[in-house]
Amino acid sequence: MAGEITLRVDGHDHRLPADPRTTLLDALRERLGNPSPKKGCDHGQCGACTVLADGRRVLSCLTLAVAAEGTEITTANGLAENGELHPVQRAFIEHDAFQCGYCTPGQVCSAVGVLDELGRGWPSHATSDVSTSPTPSRAEIAERMSGNLCRCGAYPGIVAAIEEAAG
């Protein structure tokens, strides 16, 4: 008999039966009806399923739902507050940073995570001097977003949107 878990998603608690083999992606899409994270490769290689867990980027296709219990899961749907889009969402629209839109929710969540990482001063492989806080340069953004693929090739717009959202 499967147990139950409580997932907090986009500010709302949801109790659901939990097969311990259920991925967070399947729990979000199939059990909670949240269409935001997309199933792309289902192997953690495309980033279409990226969501935030306590503000950090995670690939929901590689995360078990039971492991997400007790964390605040945020999807692209949950980024808007009081009817206002998140600054990253607005920048994506302004810079036409999507074409077919399939990867966009994962790209947006990853971009929000990237900005948080930069704000915390976490270096990446592209950081030239790890003794200083990295800046949101194009190289830094491209390196940090490299786990999110876009088959339409909207990368220039995505990087420009993140640069704008970084301020």
Side-chain angles (χ1 to χ4, degrees):
M1 181 173 141
E4 282 192 341
I5 62 171
T6 300
L7 292 179
R8 184 158 181 81
V9 180
D10 297 336
H12 303 282
D13 290 329
H14 303 274
R15 290 192 62 76
L16 60 151
D19 180 323
R21 299 166 293 181
T22 302
T23 66
L24 178 59
L25 176 62
D26 288 340
L28 290 169
R29 289 187 60 81
E30 296 173 13
R31 306 255 170 99
L32 301 180
N34 186 327
S36 181
K38 302 294 189 274
K39 185 174 278 195
C41 67
D42 211 19
H43 290 81
Q45 297 175 343
C46 72
C49 66
T50 304
V51 298
L52 301 169
D54 290 337
R56 297 189 64 189
R57 301 182 283 166
V58 297
L59 297 169
S60 62
C61 73
L62 297 181
T63 303
L64 293 174
V66 295
E69 188 170 28
T71 62
E72 178 74 40
I73 304 298
T74 305
T75 70
N77 285 353
L79 289 171
E81 289 185 18
N82 301 322
E84 295 288 325
L85 293 177
H86 186 279
V88 169
Q89 292 171 313
R90 284 196 309 267
F92 266 61
I93 292 169
E94 237 176 76
H95 291 275
D96 195 22
F98 49 86
Q99 290 181 6
C100 81
Y102 191 81
C103 70
T104 303
Q107 298 272 4
V108 166
C109 282
S110 193
V112 170
V114 162
L115 295 176
D116 183 62
E117 292 166 10
L118 287 167
R120 292 173 188 261
W122 294 354
S124 77
H125 182 70
T127 305
S128 58
D129 181 359
V130 296
S131 66
T132 63
S133 289
T135 59
S137 67
R138 294 185 78 76
E140 192 73 49
I141 292 168
E143 168 62 21
R144 291 173 188 265
M145 293 295 291
S146 64
N148 289 78
L149 303 179
C150 172
R151 290 181 180 211
C152 301
Y155 298 117
I158 292 168
V159 172
I162 297 170
E163 283 181 302
E164 179 181 307

